[in-house]
Amino acid sequence: MAKKKKAEARGRLHEAIHNVAVWFAYVGGAIVAAIGIMSVVSIVGRALWAKPIRGDFELVEIGIAVAGSLFLAYCQLTAGNIFVDIFTIRASEKSKALMDKFGALLVGAMFLLVGWRASIGMVEIRHNGETSMLMGFPIWVGYVCVLPGIALAAITAIAQAFGLIGVSERVSHE
C-alpha cells in the first residue's frame, strides 16, 4: 500500500513539473516569435524608411536569454540534452540509470550555481542602476526573468537525480 501511494505521489509530482515545464516552453516560444516579428519590423523599417526600432538588438539579447532559460526544464525533463554513450554502450541498464541520476545531480547543482550567481548579479546590477545603452532598460529585469526558468530546471534535475520523477516522452508532431 505504501509503494502505491509513493508511486501516485511520484506521478503527481512528475505531472506537475511536466505541465509547468511545458508552459514555460510555450512562453519561451512566444518570446522568440515576438522577437522574430520585432526584428522583421525593425529590418523593414531600416530598409524602407531608415527608421529601425531603437534598441532592437538590446531587446533581442534580453528576450533570447529569457526564452532560453524557459526551455531548460523541458529539455531536462525530456532528455533533450546531448548524450555521449560511446563509453556506456555496453553498460548494464542499472549502471546507465545510476549514471543518469548522477548526471542529473551534477546538472541540478550547475543550475543552482547559475541561479545563485544570476541572483547575485541581479542584485548588484539593480543596486548600480545599470541600464541598456539605447533604451535605458533596467538590466536587472532581464536577470529576474531568467530566474524562474533556471529554478525550474534545477528542481527538475534534482528530482530526477533522487528518482522522484522520470524522463517524459517527447511528443512527436509528424
Side-chain angles (χ1 to χ4, degrees):
M1 191 66 140
K3 278 189 174 186
K4 185 177 179 181
K5 285 188 177 187
K6 193 174 185 180
E8 287 174 4
R10 182 178 184 248
R12 285 192 304 271
L13 178 63
H14 182 94
E15 184 178 356
I17 289 175
H18 181 268
N19 289 340
V20 175
V22 166
W23 277 106
F24 274 29
Y26 282 144
V27 171
I31 291 169
V32 170
I35 288 170
I37 292 167
M38 185 240 4
S39 294
V40 168
V41 169
S42 186
I43 291 165
V44 169
R46 179 178 292 118
L48 298 180
W49 303 287
K51 290 275 188 188
I53 294 174
R54 182 180 173 126
D56 57 349
F57 64 91
E58 295 172 343
L59 294 173
V60 169
E61 288 175 354
I62 294 167
I64 293 301
V66 172
S69 74
L70 294 173
F71 297 138
L72 293 172
Y74 184 76
C75 186
Q76 178 66 33
L77 194 59
T78 59
N81 301 314
I82 296 173
F83 286 94
V84 180
D85 64 354
I86 193 165
F87 299 111
T88 62
I89 202 159
R90 292 195 172 117
S92 69
E93 290 303 314
K94 187 176 180 180
S95 295
K96 288 178 187 178
L98 186 63
M99 286 185 274
D100 285 345
K101 286 183 177 184
F102 182 66
L105 183 63
L106 292 177
V107 168
M110 183 271 309
F111 283 136
L112 288 174
L113 181 64
V114 168
W116 169 59
R117 294 308 303 168
S119 298
I120 289 172
M122 181 266 308
V123 169
E124 289 179 5
I125 288 171
R126 184 166 188 243
H127 177 72
N128 294 334
E130 188 176 336
T131 61
S132 64
M133 190 184 319
L134 296 176
M135 296 181 66
F137 184 83
I139 300 295
W140 66 270
V141 173
Y143 279 74
V144 168
C145 293
V146 300
L147 292 176
I150 294 169
L152 183 61
I155 291 167
T156 302
I158 291 168
Q160 287 174 328
F162 288 101
L164 301 175
I165 64 172
V167 174
S168 294
E169 293 295 319
R170 281 181 266 171
V171 178
S172 177
H173 297 287
E174 294 178 12

